């Protein structure tokens, strides 16, 4: 079984490889091909992987290439985890938006639109190559903004592309834990929305919805990440537990001002941190795995730090620091490759699940997964306030896809202007000016 990782020089690749190393079962991945545009990043990550594999008998063999078509040929699974424009691009996405007084975040609001506009054309090119060179492969998309990028790719790959994210999984795990589920797997999580825009409306353990018990108990409710972030009162008003990314909507003013006041934005912080890591990896005597792990721990500990600070949420729980997207990726591959049926929250085409959206709209929803792919399960409709947000943001995503298709600057302005977190058409116009000035990847917007 051959797995190709696009963005193979990326910092999170060792998480995926670490998950593969735990898989001893039949039909497991035996060959990993790393693809990246940058040789030195490939070299750095390959060093970490080599140390990870050192004591593992028959660890998956790793090769690296900068030739995309070569990487795709013969792949059974393709992970796409690319970052168009790099972390400098992310820092610019933040800076331009914050200067206009609106949110600059890699997936939400103006920053997410800018990132989407430069990522979609690249993702579409990849999808077209996959359709030509590896038509039977399954594409697992981690590339953000994950819902939008998955939808762009699905226009060429249909249901062969599946988007993943660790945030609903982490949320489900936290709720299941505070409710006393012995194993989070035994809980059924009623969750739906778009990527980074979803709500848990129920959590059944042994057939019983335990969410009302959580909402009724202020102490329990305030004891985990989302409880601290949103506050007990607001969660009780909602009667649901939102994905952490909804903090940018419900507490937008505070988030924007905290981001404006921060010494460095998240993107700028990570750009520096990661540059140091890749620099260190050039030293022949560097302790690759130890350095990587230390860098990873710092990255995890500071995740959404400004949001937590405005909410007085304190430090992250130790249990939340170990990520989890690699586990979703592995579970998804196993379910498909070995027909090991399981349920996972994934980004797939709607197919009638949410009646307010058309069939091809990519949504985030629990899916039954087997050798035939991911099948969304039926869920209850969202309340009006959530439906409103989901429909607005999906409409924005559609404008981004249209702008990427046509190269129309007016359509790009429309995408920004229609976003609920952009408060004026004039702001949208200036955002397009600002972003096209700093991003070479937006030169196509004539
Ligand atoms: C979560 C999200 C991912 C996102 C990551 C950002 O895991 O689900 O979509 O890429 O956070 O973390 P970072 O360390 O890059 O700020
Ligand atoms: Mn995510």
């Amino acid at each position: 079984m051959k797995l190709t990782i696009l963005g193979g020089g990326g910092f999170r690749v060792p998480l995926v490889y670490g998950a593969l190393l735990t898989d001893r079962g039949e039909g497991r991945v035996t060959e990993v091909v790393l693809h990246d545009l940058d040789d030195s990043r490939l070299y750095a990550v390959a060093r970490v992987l080599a140390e990870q594999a050192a004591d593992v008998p028959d660890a998956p063999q790793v090769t690296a290439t900068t030739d995309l078509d070569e990487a795709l040929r013969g792949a059974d699974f393709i992970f796409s985890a690319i970052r168009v424009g790099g972390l400098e691009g992310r820092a610019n996405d933040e800076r331009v938006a914050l200067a206009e007084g609106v949110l600059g975040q890699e997936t939400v609001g103006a920053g997410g639109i800018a990132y989407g506009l430069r990522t979609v054309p690249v993702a579409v090119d990849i999808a077209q190559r996959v359709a030509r060179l590896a038509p039977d492969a399954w594409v697992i998309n981690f590339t953000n903004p994950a819902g939008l990028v998955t939808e762009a790719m699905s226009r060429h790959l249909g249901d062969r592309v599946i988007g993943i994210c660790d945030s609903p999984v982490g949320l489900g795990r936290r709720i299941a834990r505070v409710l006393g589920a012995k194993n989070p797997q035994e809980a059924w999580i009623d969750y739906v929305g778009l990527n980074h825009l979803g709500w848990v409306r129920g959590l059944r353990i042994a057939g019983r919805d335990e969410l009302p018990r959580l909402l009724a108990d202020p102490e329990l409710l305030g004891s985990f990440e989302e409880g601290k972030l949103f506050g007990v009162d607001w969660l009780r008003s909602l009667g649901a537990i939102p994905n952490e990314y909804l903090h940018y909507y419900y507490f937008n003013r505070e988030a924007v001002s905290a981001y404006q006041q921060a010494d460095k934005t998240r993107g700028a912080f990570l750009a520096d941190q990661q540059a140091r890591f890749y620099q260190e990896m050039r030293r022949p005597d560097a302790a690759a795995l130890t350095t990587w792990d230390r860098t990873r721990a710092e990255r995890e500990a500071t995740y959404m730090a400004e949001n937590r600070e405005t909410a007085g949420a304190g430090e992250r729980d130790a249990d939340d620091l170990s990520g989890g997207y690699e586990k979703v990726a592995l579970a998804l591959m196993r379910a498909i490759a070995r027909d090991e049926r399981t349920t996972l929250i994934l980004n797939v085409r709607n197919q009638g699940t949410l009646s307010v959206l058309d069939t091809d709209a990519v949504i985030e929803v629990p899916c039954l997964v087997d050798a035939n792919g991911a099948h969304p399960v039926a869920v209850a409709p969202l309340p009006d306030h959530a439906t409103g947000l989901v429909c607005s943001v999906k409409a924005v995503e559609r404008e981004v896809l249209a702008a990427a298709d046509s190269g129309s600057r007016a359509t790009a302005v429309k995408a920004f202007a229609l976003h609920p977190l952009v408060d004026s058409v004039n702001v949208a116009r200036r955002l397009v000016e600002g972003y096209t000035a700093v991003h070479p990847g937006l030169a196509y917007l004539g």
Side-chain angles (χ1 to χ4, degrees):
M1 192 70 67
K2 171 171 156 180
L3 166 68
T4 291
I5 304 184
L6 308 180
F11 185 76
R12 289 200 172 91
V13 169
L15 293 174
V16 176
Y17 192 63
L20 296 178
L21 289 174
T22 65
D23 186 7
R24 317 296 306 164
E26 212 177 297
R28 74 200 177 102
V29 169
T30 48
E31 201 187 333
V32 176
V33 179
L34 306 179
H35 172 268
D36 206 285
L37 303 175
D38 182 336
D39 246 339
S40 67
R41 288 169 63 87
L42 282 173
Y43 169 75
V45 168
R47 283 186 69 177
V48 180
L49 305 195
E51 288 191 23
Q52 285 178 293
D55 299 323
V56 183
D58 50 78
Q61 182 210 330
V62 179
T63 54
T65 176
T66 52
D67 182 326
L68 179 55
D69 291 352
E70 180 190 315
L72 296 177
R73 273 190 207 100
D76 297 292
F77 288 96
I78 298 161
F79 284 9
S80 178
I82 60 171
R83 186 177 285 286
V84 179
L87 284 163
E88 286 73 22
R90 179 169 171 183
N92 280 330
D93 286 342
E94 295 165 338
R95 199 172 46 75
V96 170
L98 290 171
E100 278 298 334
V102 294
L103 185 69
Q105 203 282 329
E106 67 164 336
T107 61
V108 180
I113 296 172
Y115 190 25
L117 282 169
R118 54 178 205 283
T119 306
V120 165
V122 179
V124 165
D125 174 62
I126 292 170
Q128 288 170 333
R129 283 170 198 255
V130 172
R132 205 167 64 237
L133 300 170
D136 294 331
W138 292 91
V139 177
I140 301 176
N141 180 56
F142 308 151
T143 299
N144 270 329
L148 166 67
V149 170
T150 302
E151 187 164 321
M153 296 181 91
S154 74
R155 293 182 174 182
H156 304 272
L157 296 168
D159 295 324
R160 289 242 157 210
V161 58
I162 298 169
I164 69 170
C165 176
D166 57 336
S167 64
V169 184
L171 170 57
R173 190 181 55 215
R174 286 188 281 278
I175 303 181
R177 193 172 53 222
V178 296
L179 283 170
K182 273 169 244 86
N183 175 359
Q185 295 294 66
E186 68 184 78
W188 168 261
I189 302 151
D190 176 359
Y191 177 95
V192 74
L194 304 183
N195 178 238
H196 292 184
L197 191 79
W199 295 260
V200 172
R201 297 96 46 85
L203 188 134
R204 289 199 291 281
I205 302 173
R208 227 174 80 131
D209 186 6
E210 300 283 350
L211 194 65
R213 178 160 71 83
L214 178 61
L215 291 168
D217 183 336
E219 205 170 314
L220 218 51
L221 196 51
S223 71
F224 64 103
E225 181 74 12
E226 285 75 8
K228 293 178 196 162
L229 204 53
F230 293 104
V232 167
D233 291 343
W234 181 235
L235 294 185
R236 292 173 111 174
S237 298
L238 283 175
I241 316 289
N243 183 297
E244 60 194 353
Y245 279 81
L246 274 147
H247 192 258
Y248 293 112
Y249 289 85
Y250 296 144
F251 294 89
N252 182 257
R253 187 177 291 218
E254 291 79 4
V256 169
S257 97
Y259 276 49
Q260 282 172 326
Q261 281 157 33
D263 282 348
K264 271 184 203 165
T265 59
R266 180 69 173 162
F269 166 78
L270 289 174
D272 290 352
Q273 189 218 38
Q274 299 278 301
R276 281 196 301 277
F277 167 76
Y278 285 98
Q279 193 58 41
E280 174 73 11
M281 286 305 106
R282 288 166 184 258
R283 283 189 25 211
D285 59 338
L289 184 52
T290 315
T291 309
W292 173 78
D293 200 47
R294 192 179 358 97
T295 310
R296 182 197 61 78
E298 184 192 37
R299 184 174 187 162
E300 289 293 346
T302 50
Y303 173 67
M304 283 185 101
E306 277 78 24
N307 305 66
R308 272 181 288 113
E309 209 174 301
T310 65
E315 310 226 312
R316 295 184 83 192
D317 282 351
D319 288 344
D320 293 337
L321 298 176
S322 56
Y325 94 135
E326 68 283 5
K327 295 191 189 102
V328 191
L330 183 63
L332 176 57
M333 279 199 302
R334 289 171 69 139
I336 293 176
R338 297 175 214 165
D339 205 13
E340 268 179 19
R341 291 173 190 219
T342 188
T343 310
L344 297 167
I345 297 173
L346 300 167
N347 288 268
V348 296
R349 290 196 288 186
N350 177 37
Q351 293 163 19
T353 312
L354 284 179
S355 61
V356 290
L357 296 177
D358 59 66
T359 33
D360 293 340
V362 166
I363 62 168
E364 192 164 85
V365 64
C367 295
L368 293 174
V369 193
D370 60 19
N372 295 310
H375 320 284
V377 302
V379 292
L382 284 164
D384 287 352
H385 66 84
T387 295
L389 272 183
V390 162
C391 290
S392 296
V393 172
K394 183 51 76 181
V396 169
E397 290 184 1
R398 293 279 166 84
E399 297 300 336
V400 171
L401 294 174
D405 234 17
S406 64
S408 157
R409 204 177 177 91
T411 309
V413 170
K414 194 172 171 193
F416 284 102
L418 291 179
H419 198 287
L421 300 181
V422 173
D423 57 353
S424 161
V425 175
N426 285 327
V427 171
R429 290 186 179 126
R430 290 196 297 271
L431 287 169
V432 171
E433 288 301 313
Y435 282 130
T436 47
V438 295
H439 288 312
L442 292 183
Y444 72 89
L445 292 173

